[in-house]
Amino acid sequence: MKPLEGRKRRFGDRKDGFLVRNLDPMGKLIPFIMRSKADSWVLFEDKIDITHTQDFMHQLRKSELPNLTLYHIIFAAIVRSYSQVPEMNRFIAGNNIYARNEMKGSMVVMKGMQRDSERTMIMPRFEMDATLPEVVEEIERLANPIDKTVKVKEDKNANDFDKLELALDLLPNVLIRFFFILLKWLDRHGWIPRALTALSPFHASFFITNMGSIGMEPVYHHIYEFGTISIFGAIGSKNIVYETNRKGELCRKVYLNMKFVVDERICDGFVFALGFKHIKSCISHPEQLLKRPTQVFHDKLDRHS
């Protein structure tokens, strides 16, 4: 099930999204007041109790999900949150707000941990009612073929994004500059070819980076002016603390720090709060991700009579 599956495109819609037509006056004016992502980004930080989550991971690694990581759980938690708060899957193009018609994540895959190591991108796509095993399967399907022992040019399993990147690398700088000027203009008007947005990690529902994998705390990562990403999340290393519970007993807790940068124009703060509460709940209690959601909500776009 895709977001807004079966909805027919109307005048004003795009190939990658449907125009939101039921905005309140403030929602309609905001893209005119704040015309760029740099003008409208909001920083959000939180720490999440993953004490139970770690026990959950250890148990599933022994059985059905031997490759399960915290990264997988975070992806699954975000997908589940979008299925309950679909307004988070919106984006801005021009002065309009659109509801995205797919669930697509973006992530970087490092081809090593040396100073000269290269990197590639994968863009897993998910159904709105995806479970944790399905999220793991989709990410692993794209990540496993990558040969981390060779450069991108030498990788026989290079994905389509790598091939496009290598082709552009052959062009002189002036042509690359013209290419992206043209792409931005086409994207603004909704005319960019679907084949290119399918390869672009900058046209996605969300982008997540794992700073903890290199032993760092999360950073506030910008949301790119190019493309339609409205939410960028960074996760950091785990922190162990000892604190007293309500009974006065000393307990060992493990917390994960996360930082998000969001485009505040896509929905109001109350909706963002609902979405991030869902994300925290799913990360802290990931067993709920093993089952499909009891209900999937679609974004409401049309004006009511």
Side-chain angles (χ1 to χ4, degrees):
M1 179 192 304
K2 296 181 179 179
L4 302 166
E5 187 171 24
R7 182 183 175 92
K8 294 183 179 180
R9 285 174 58 191
R10 298 159 54 185
F11 179 77
D13 294 337
R14 291 166 50 108
K15 296 175 184 177
D16 53 357
F18 298 99
L19 181 65
V20 180
R21 294 177 165 85
N22 64 345
L23 297 168
D24 61 22
M26 178 59 72
K28 184 175 181 178
L29 290 176
I30 279 181
F32 293 91
I33 298 170
M34 296 179 287
R35 300 191 63 182
S36 70
K37 293 181 182 178
D39 195 28
S40 58
W41 62 323
V42 171
L43 311 180
F44 175 81
E45 177 181 4
D46 208 344
K47 65 177 184 178
I48 304 174
D49 185 351
I50 59 168
T51 310
H52 167 70
T53 309
Q54 288 200 308
D55 294 335
F56 172 85
M57 285 193 298
H58 294 325
Q59 289 298 321
L60 259 67
R61 284 171 182 165
K62 297 177 182 178
S63 54
E64 55 190 288
L65 294 175
N67 298 322
L68 180 64
T69 67
L70 186 58
Y71 208 28
H72 293 138
I73 292 176
I74 291 170
F75 261 76
I78 295 174
V79 171
R80 181 61 52 88
S81 177
Y82 276 39
S83 76
Q84 304 303 299
V85 188
E87 295 89 344
M88 295 180 72
N89 200 14
R90 292 177 176 179
F91 64 90
I92 303 289
N95 299 119
N96 294 313
I97 300 178
Y98 296 88
R100 200 181 310 273
N101 57 16
E102 67 175 345
M103 184 85 70
K104 173 184 173 184
S106 292
M107 61 183 288
V108 174
V109 177
M110 295 296 298
K111 293 174 72 68
M113 287 298 175
Q114 289 76 40
R115 293 177 63 178
D116 62 345
S117 296
E118 296 184 350
R119 56 191 171 177
T120 183
M121 302 268 197
I122 62 171
M123 290 140 278
R125 289 171 171 80
F126 310 103
E127 301 294 327
M128 288 190 71
D129 60 349
T131 61
L132 177 58
E134 291 169 344
V135 169
V136 173
E137 180 182 7
E138 172 65 5
I139 293 176
E140 293 297 295
R141 181 183 69 84
L142 299 176
N144 286 343
I146 297 172
D147 188 346
K148 298 182 180 180
T149 65
V150 298
K151 301 291 185 180
V152 172
K153 292 182 179 180
E154 303 166 353
D155 192 348
K156 296 180 180 179
N157 296 323
N159 57 34
D160 291 336
F161 170 78
D162 291 332
K163 294 174 183 177
L164 176 62
E165 188 178 39
L166 292 172
L168 291 175
D169 186 50
L170 297 175
L171 300 178
N173 288 348
V174 63
L175 290 183
I176 296 176
R177 186 179 300 112
F178 173 77
F179 177 77
F180 278 99
I181 289 173
L182 176 62
L183 274 188
K184 288 180 179 180
W185 184 82
L186 290 173
D187 201 18
R188 178 179 175 84
H189 294 87
W191 299 336
I192 192 169
R194 191 188 299 271
L196 286 180
T197 57
L199 300 181
S200 170
F202 311 108
H203 293 78
S205 305
F206 57 89
F207 201 127
I208 302 295
T209 183
N210 184 6
M211 305 297 295
S213 64
I214 55 176
M216 291 185 61
E217 289 301 316
V219 298
Y220 291 116
H221 197 290
H222 58 87
I223 44 179
Y224 302 91
E225 289 292 348
F226 175 66
T228 58
I229 287 177
S230 300
I231 296 179
F232 199 117
I235 63 175
S237 54
K238 298 183 286 288
N239 296 322
I240 300 174
V241 300
Y242 291 87
E243 55 188 32
T244 54
N245 59 20
R246 294 180 179 179
K247 298 180 180 180
E249 302 167 335
L250 190 63
C251 299
R252 179 183 181 274
K253 293 283 188 178
V254 182
Y255 286 97
L256 176 72
N257 290 327
M258 299 188 70
K259 292 182 177 179
F260 286 87
V261 177
V262 304
D263 187 339
E264 71 158 315
R265 298 173 295 176
I266 62 171
C267 59
D268 61 42
F270 176 75
V271 175
F272 271 126
L274 289 177
F276 282 112
K277 284 180 180 178
H278 276 291
I279 293 174
K280 287 185 65 175
S281 172
C282 291
I283 294 175
S284 295
H285 302 283
E287 57 273 3
Q288 61 189 297
L289 299 173
L290 295 175
K291 299 179 180 179
R292 301 200 184 281
T294 55
Q295 185 176 0
V296 171
F297 296 88
H298 291 281
D299 206 343
K300 297 179 180 179
L301 312 181
D302 300 314
R303 293 184 180 275
H304 298 288
S305 58

